[in-house]
Structures are given as C-alpha cells and as structure tokens.
Amino acid sequence: MRAVRLSVVTAAATAAALAAVTGCTQKSDAKNGDAIQVTAADSKCETSTKTVPAGQVTLKIENKGSQATEVEIVFPDDRIVSEKENIGPGTKYTLTAEVKAGSYEIACRPGMKGHGVRQKLTVTGGKVAKRDPRLDKAVASYREWAQSEADSTIPKVKTFADAVKAGDLEAAKKAYAPSRVGWESTEPIAESFGDIDPKTDTRADGLEKGQKWTGWHALEKALWADKKIGDEQKALAGQLVTDLTDWQKRVGKAEITPTSMANGAKELLDEVASGKVTGEEERYSHTDLSDFKANVDGAQKAYELLKPVASENDAALTAELDKQFAAVNKLLDTYRTDKTSDGFVSYDKVGEADRKGLLDAVNALAEPLSKLAAAVVK
C-alpha cells in the first residue's frame, strides 16, 4: 500500500509521445557522472538538468528534508515511469530508469503524500541502441504473468464481496486475505496508474484531506474491529469489485521496462519492511504474512525473468540474490499453518524478536536487490 496519489487525467493527446522505451542502453549525458542530481527537501525538489537524451537515465537522489520522501519520474498525466519510496531524511539513493523521447516530470513528494514538488524533464530523441532481446522477452513474460495474476484475482474478490453483501462476517473474513494475493504480488503495476491504489488499498492514516475511505482496509476494519456489516460496507464491497476490474483491464497497457521491473521488485521489498513487518498494513485482520509472501513472490518473479542478463553482467549479485530469496522464503515457511484462510499464523502472534528476524531477512535481500536495475542495463 502506498500513500494516496492524484487521479490520472486523460492521456490520449500525449500517449504517442509518452510511450515507455522498448529498447535502449544509451546513457544520459547529464552532468556529474551521467546522472541527474536530485535534491529533495520538505518544500523543494532541485534537479541538476532539465534535458537528457532518450535511453538509460540515472537519478542520484539526496533527501535533505526532515521527513521521508518519494521521488518519481512521471508522465504529465501522472503515470509513473519509475519511483523510489521511503527515502529517509539525510539518506541517498540511486534510481536507474529507461525513458523515451517526450515530456516528463521529476516529482519529490515529502511525506509521500499529495502532488509534491516537481521539475520538468525533457527527453530528447536520438539514436538508441537496440536492447538485448532477452530483456524484451522478460518484459513480455512479466506482463503476461501480471495479467494472469489480475485475472485470477477478480473471482476471489467477488467471493469476498459476495460474502460481505450477504452479511456473512465469517465467510468475508475467510475470503479477505486470498482476495489480496494477486494485487500484492503485482502492486508496482497498480501503483503506476496513479488513481487505482488510493481507492482500493489505502489505510486510514494514508488518506488525504477530504478523501473518502474505500477499499480493502475500510472493509477490514469493519469485519475485525467493528465486527459488523451494514449497508455502507455492502456498497464498499461492490465498489471494490468495480475498481479492481478497472485495474484488471489496465494491466495489459502498463508501462513496463526491464528497469521498472527491477525497481518494482525493490519497491515490493520496501513495502514489506515499511508495512508488513511492522504489522501496520493488516492491523485489524493480522493477515500480514500473506501479503508479505505475495510481495516476495512478485519481487522474485521479476528477478527470475531478468536473471539471464543480470547473471552475465554481475554473477556475484545474482548469486547473492539467489541466496537471500531462498533465506526469506525458508523463514516464511516456518510461519505456515493450515489453520487460517491465508495459510499463515496470525501476525499478532509473532513476537518482537521474530519480527526483528523477518526484518533482518528482508533487509539482507533488499540491499542486493537495489542493484538489480543497474545490472540489467550494463
């Protein structure tokens, strides 16, 4: 779950110019080591250049503000090309992306809410080197997999919604976690559209001023905390099906590149560290470990598809990633049970020491995973 984002506006007029790159290895000619220097603060977003050539672009980000920020490369209609969330105060991060000629913005979002502070970025044309065909295959396979995850999610969401509409509290609780698995595994794609995630997966503390609380977590609170289903919840269940059907239809049109796959895998691990391990995501149902596993599975899927190229460019990195993915999955298996609908122990039964162990395992995987994007475009 991410912070709320502004709704996407009509993109028809700019779609042709703003299509994501389908093949490139040319690097930016921006100053300071072929990178755009991005300085984020509580009320500013400064960039070292406003123009780069099409191809690979690297953002060297430094957060000089007092709160965590999010930095994104976005289309004017607010679709995301690439992003990095949860950049803490005083920390730095390198983001690698691929862009085609057109108009973009670099957005810094202090507190990870709202429209943020933005700088325009013009990507000029030019000769772009042909991309490794294995990476094109990886993108196509990832898109096909993401679509299958979305397609399989809708029946599960309908089962959940039907239980809510029937007023069957226990059946709704049982169907809740399974309805979220496909979404959690492909969440970077959902977030790239901008307007779907706020309607379906926002927690109460992520709401913008004046935003109505809808989606899974509003229903989660009603089922577990309030222990009641009323007309409002039945309406929310119907709206959830509508919103997620919209997501299902859009998956095939998502902007996907090898670097967005790699960055998305890292973002899924960040989701685990910031919401699942802490217990904040599923604070009422305590089904966090189901989400946790789905996030890891989604990250691993992207990695496995990119691995043939990444292993040639950085064998040591892929060896470490293999090791750390295996370690995280082995640890998660120790929390499996057949006694709950989602197959894992209730997260409120996981003590602080065990949560620390989970966080350590996630961090051990996230660190090498942050280098995957650079490895696939060497």
Side-chain angles (χ1 to χ4, degrees), residues 48-334:
S48 61
T49 186
K50 299 293 191 294
T51 305
V52 295
Q56 178 188 336
V57 61
T58 299
L59 272 57
K60 294 284 188 180
I61 305 164
E62 182 175 7
N63 182 10
K64 294 187 176 181
S66 63
Q67 55 187 326
T69 194
E70 178 176 343
V71 175
E72 307 161 336
I73 301 174
V74 296
F75 295 120
D77 64 10
D78 222 28
R79 287 174 297 136
I80 299 171
V81 177
S82 197
E83 66 177 341
K84 176 64 181 79
E85 300 178 1
N86 288 304
I87 304 172
T91 61
K92 299 179 181 181
Y93 189 85
T94 299
L95 179 66
T96 301
E98 296 168 77
V99 288
K100 201 172 184 178
S103 299
Y104 302 82
E105 294 177 328
I106 293 177
C108 303
R109 303 175 62 238
M112 298 184 290
K113 289 187 177 183
H115 187 72
V117 185
R118 303 190 174 200
Q119 298 288 348
K120 294 187 180 302
L121 177 67
T122 299
V123 179
T124 60
K127 186 176 180 180
V128 178
K130 186 178 180 180
R131 189 165 67 198
D132 188 322
R134 292 175 297 175
L135 293 177
D136 290 329
K137 181 179 179 181
V139 169
S141 296
Y142 184 74
R143 187 186 302 278
E144 182 179 356
W145 169 78
Q147 186 65 64
S148 70
E149 290 289 286
D151 292 345
S152 65
T153 294
I154 300 305
K156 296 174 184 177
V157 171
K158 288 180 178 178
T159 296
F160 171 59
D162 287 347
V164 173
K165 292 176 184 178
D168 191 333
L169 193 69
E170 292 307 313
K173 286 182 177 182
K174 184 177 180 180
Y176 173 78
S179 77
R180 290 178 51 74
V181 171
W183 169 274
E184 288 290 335
S185 66
T186 63
E187 196 164 7
I189 288 180
E191 291 180 350
S192 73
F193 299 123
D195 61 333
I196 296 178
D197 184 89
K199 293 187 289 186
T200 59
D201 201 28
T202 298
R203 303 192 304 253
D205 53 354
L207 295 171
E208 293 281 7
K209 184 177 181 181
Q211 179 188 357
K212 181 181 178 181
W213 194 17
T214 60
W216 270 300
H217 295 302
L219 290 165
E220 178 202 6
K221 180 179 182 296
L223 296 175
W224 274 273
D226 302 334
K227 296 180 174 58
K228 65 178 183 180
I229 297 174
D231 290 342
E232 180 181 359
Q233 286 71 43
K234 293 176 182 180
L236 287 177
Q239 186 62 44
L240 181 64
V241 173
T242 298
D243 291 336
L244 289 171
T245 301
D246 181 23
W247 157 67
Q248 176 200 19
K249 292 177 180 178
R250 291 202 221 176
V251 168
K253 301 176 183 178
E255 308 289 352
I256 303 173
T257 67
T259 53
S260 75
M261 289 170 59
N263 291 328
K266 175 59 166 58
E267 287 300 316
L268 285 169
L269 268 292
D270 291 344
E271 287 272 346
V272 172
S274 64
K276 279 69 173 182
V277 172
T278 61
E280 295 174 37
E281 180 83 356
E282 306 291 357
R283 63 190 65 176
Y284 308 109
S285 65
H286 306 300
T287 56
D288 303 87
L289 288 171
S290 176
D291 289 358
F292 189 139
K293 176 60 174 171
N295 285 160
V296 172
D297 286 348
Q300 189 164 8
K301 182 65 177 183
Y303 163 62
E304 293 290 350
L305 290 172
L306 296 170
K307 183 179 174 181
V309 173
S311 62
E312 288 186 7
N313 294 335
D314 194 337
L317 176 64
T318 55
E320 182 65 15
L321 285 169
D322 288 342
K323 174 185 174 181
Q324 297 303 336
F325 268 116
V328 169
N329 283 313
K330 182 178 180 181
L331 182 58
L332 278 172
D333 283 343
T334 66

Side-chain angles (χ1 to χ4, degrees), residues 174 333-346:
K174 184 177 180 180
D333 283 343
T334 66
Y335 294 96
R336 287 192 179 277
T337 176
D338 294 329
K339 297 179 181 180
T340 63
S341 61
D342 63 322
F344 289 94
V345 299
S346 182

Side-chain angles (χ1 to χ4, degrees), residues 355-370:
R355 293 188 184 197
K356 175 63 164 53
L358 287 165
L359 181 58
D360 289 344
V362 169
N363 287 337
L365 171 57
E367 193 280 327
L369 197 57
S370 68

